[in-house]
Amino acid sequence: MRALILSDIHGNLEALQAVVAAAAGTYEQLWNLGDMVGYGASPNEVLDLLRPISSLNVRGNHDRVCCGLTSSIGFNPVARAAAQWTQAELTPEHLDWLRACPQGPLHPLQPGITCAHGSPLNEDHYILNMRDAWAPLQQMTTPLTFFGHTHVQGGFAQKEHEWQEFHPHYTTRNDANAWAIQLQPGVRHLINPGSVGQPRDSDWRAAFAIYDSDTQEIIFHRVPYDLTAAQGRILMAGLPERLAARLREGR
């Protein structure tokens, strides 16, 4: 079984379209780790594309705020403005669907796997370094957990007293690239597929990952997308200019 792992689309239709096209025919299930909306200017279009093809959906913190389940008071002013705009823009059907979207961690039918938005211990906690990863790796109920929230592609591994942090190494920042790791028996892994629509690892390209349960391989991917169109949608919607500028920076 091969699963397409997506996270942090954040209303970026052009990035999602590029990922779906690049991954076409290579997977049987799509696991979505949340933050489908917020920041980007195409929340309805993203959900129109994503909902029919996803097998598992985890609610993200921006999804929670943008559908009105919780307040945006904890967001910075730019994120708050985007969340308020998104809530007003979303159709009633999509608002209801987001409100019903389950909080992680969730478990797909494939055994031994957890899917979460943030830390599997707390959906709002970021796993940015080994200090953040220590407790989740110790307390995970499955040997493999996929998570998002940080918008940084890579992961963490632990076996007894050995710990490792890793990030893909790509040969270019303009074309499509792939980078694979082999999961080893007895090793616990936290894997972040990266952000589809709002990367923050200084690489502007859309990020995703493919998990192959038969070979126990994870392939990280980066693909270019129509950045200018995504930026134009943000500006035309009257959203903060910073949201358009940061797409080019990958920050």
Side-chain angles (χ1 to χ4, degrees), residues 48-65:
D48 285 339
L49 175 55
L50 181 67
R51 287 177 56 185
I53 62 175
S54 57
S55 311
L56 176 149
N57 297 287
V58 180
R59 181 192 72 194
N61 59 309
H62 281 260
D63 303 325
R64 191 180 70 221
V65 171

Side-chain angles (χ1 to χ4, degrees), residues 58-95:
V58 180
R59 181 192 72 194
N61 59 309
H62 281 260
D63 303 325
R64 191 180 70 221
V65 171
C66 288
C67 72
L69 285 177
T70 54
S71 170
S72 63
I73 193 68
F75 281 3
N76 65 54
V78 171
R80 187 180 308 124
Q84 292 169 348
W85 179 90
T86 300
Q87 185 172 0
E89 188 74 10
L90 282 166
T91 67
E93 179 188 353
H94 286 323
L95 282 168

Side-chain angles (χ1 to χ4, degrees), residues 79-141:
R80 187 180 308 124
Q84 292 169 348
W85 179 90
T86 300
Q87 185 172 0
E89 188 74 10
L90 282 166
T91 67
E93 179 188 353
H94 286 323
L95 282 168
D96 289 342
W97 184 83
L98 284 173
R99 289 169 184 147
C101 199
Q103 173 183 344
L106 301 180
H107 301 283
L109 294 177
Q110 195 70 23
I113 296 171
T114 297
C115 292
H117 179 64
S119 166
L121 306 182
N122 186 313
E123 65 176 339
D124 290 326
H125 286 180
Y126 292 89
I127 303 177
L128 288 163
N129 50 46
M130 191 57 76
R131 177 178 293 181
D132 300 329
W134 188 87
L137 283 170
Q138 294 293 304
Q139 299 178 46
M140 282 162 44
T141 60

Side-chain angles (χ1 to χ4, degrees), residues 67-216:
C67 72
L69 285 177
T70 54
S71 170
S72 63
I73 193 68
F75 281 3
N76 65 54
V78 171
R80 187 180 308 124
Q84 292 169 348
W85 179 90
T86 300
Q87 185 172 0
E89 188 74 10
L90 282 166
T91 67
E93 179 188 353
H94 286 323
L95 282 168
D96 289 342
W97 184 83
L98 284 173
R99 289 169 184 147
C101 199
Q103 173 183 344
L106 301 180
H107 301 283
L109 294 177
Q110 195 70 23
I113 296 171
T114 297
C115 292
H117 179 64
S119 166
L121 306 182
N122 186 313
E123 65 176 339
D124 290 326
H125 286 180
Y126 292 89
I127 303 177
L128 288 163
N129 50 46
M130 191 57 76
R131 177 178 293 181
D132 300 329
W134 188 87
L137 283 170
Q138 294 293 304
Q139 299 178 46
M140 282 162 44
T141 60
T142 59
L144 176 58
T145 294
F146 292 102
F147 73 101
H149 198 36
T150 68
H151 302 209
V152 176
Q153 194 176 53
F156 305 87
Q158 179 258 330
K159 182 178 182 180
E160 297 177 349
H161 301 296
E162 297 181 6
W163 303 77
Q164 180 187 10
E165 177 178 353
F166 53 87
H167 300 281
H169 300 288
Y170 298 114
T171 56
T172 177
R173 291 296 178 95
N174 296 309
D175 304 313
N177 279 150
W179 190 82
I181 64 166
Q182 189 72 41
L183 302 180
Q184 300 300 321
V187 180
R188 300 166 73 80
H189 289 88
L190 281 163
I191 302 292
N192 191 328
S195 172
V196 172
Q198 278 272 323
R200 292 183 188 164
D201 50 9
S202 300
D203 187 334
W204 67 276
R205 296 172 298 173
F208 66 98
I210 299 285
Y211 165 63
D212 190 320
S213 64
D214 296 326
T215 64
Q216 286 298 294

